[in-house]
């Protein structure tokens, strides 16, 4: 994995298989600068060179998203291949994390999404009780 600070944010480039054996790299990156610097801007995970992602990889992305959300920062994905898009869709993570066609678009985006639990819920109909 490569980590680089850009003018508009931090880019993490993942390569190969994102599984139980490799997620430790993402966790370690999340603990270091610039990923752990609240002033560094959004974090973009470039998935273009990934060939595989399992539940461990999905879990690692969720943990990073939680960490960044606590800092009011965005986590965005870019260049997501079909082999990675499928587990994202199956878990619903693609509805939480913005997915962009390329890293430049992800860095330029203004799509910071709040936690789905914070979004307004539809009003529930009121119950009427008749005496």
């Amino acid at each position: 994995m490569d980590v680089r600070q850009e003018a508009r944010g931090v880019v993490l480039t993942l390569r190969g298989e994102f599984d139980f054996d490799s997620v430790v790299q993402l966790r370690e990156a999340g603990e270091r600068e610039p990923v752990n610097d609240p002033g560094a801007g959004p974090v973009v995970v470039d998935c273009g060179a990934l060939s595989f992602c399992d539940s461990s990889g999905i879990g690692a992305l969720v943990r990073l998203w939680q960490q960044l959300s606590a800092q009011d920062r965005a986590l965005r994905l870019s260049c997501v291949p079909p082999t990675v898009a499928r587990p994202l869709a199956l878990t619903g993570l693609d509805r939480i994390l913005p997915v962009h066609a390329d890293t430049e678009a992800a860095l330029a985006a203004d799509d910071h999404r709040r936690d789905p639990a914070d979004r307004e819920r539809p009003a529930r109909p009121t119950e009427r009780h008749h005496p």
Side-chain angles (χ1 to χ4, degrees):
M1 175 177 29
D2 294 328
V3 179
R4 70 181 190 274
Q5 176 71 55
E6 298 279 334
R8 293 180 285 184
V10 180
V11 178
L12 305 176
T13 303
L14 304 179
R15 290 183 176 80
E17 296 183 351
F18 194 38
D19 58 14
F20 182 79
D21 294 328
S22 61
V23 295
V24 68
Q25 294 174 359
L26 185 64
R27 186 181 70 235
E28 289 172 353
E31 296 170 355
R32 295 188 317 255
E33 301 285 337
V35 177
N36 200 26
D37 176 5
V43 174
V44 175
V45 176
D46 180 345
C47 302
L50 282 181
S51 58
F52 176 77
C53 179
D54 69 5
S55 61
S56 299
I58 296 295
L61 289 172
V62 169
R63 284 186 294 281
L64 182 59
W65 171 72
Q66 290 170 331
Q67 172 189 336
L68 294 171
S69 293
Q71 298 174 0
D72 198 31
R73 295 173 65 201
L75 176 61
R76 303 171 183 152
L77 304 178
S78 68
C79 309
V80 178
T83 56
V84 177
R86 181 162 168 71
L88 291 174
L90 289 172
T91 60
L93 197 54
D94 63 342
R95 292 179 297 198
I96 296 171
L97 298 179
V99 178
H100 298 275
D102 59 54
T103 302
E104 279 303 310
L107 287 168
D110 184 22
D111 58 5
H112 182 73
R113 296 185 184 180
R114 296 181 303 164
D115 184 326
D118 294 338
R119 293 183 185 158
E120 289 184 33
R121 289 175 171 71
R124 291 179 19 188
T126 57
E127 295 181 1
R128 296 185 187 200
H129 296 282
H130 298 286

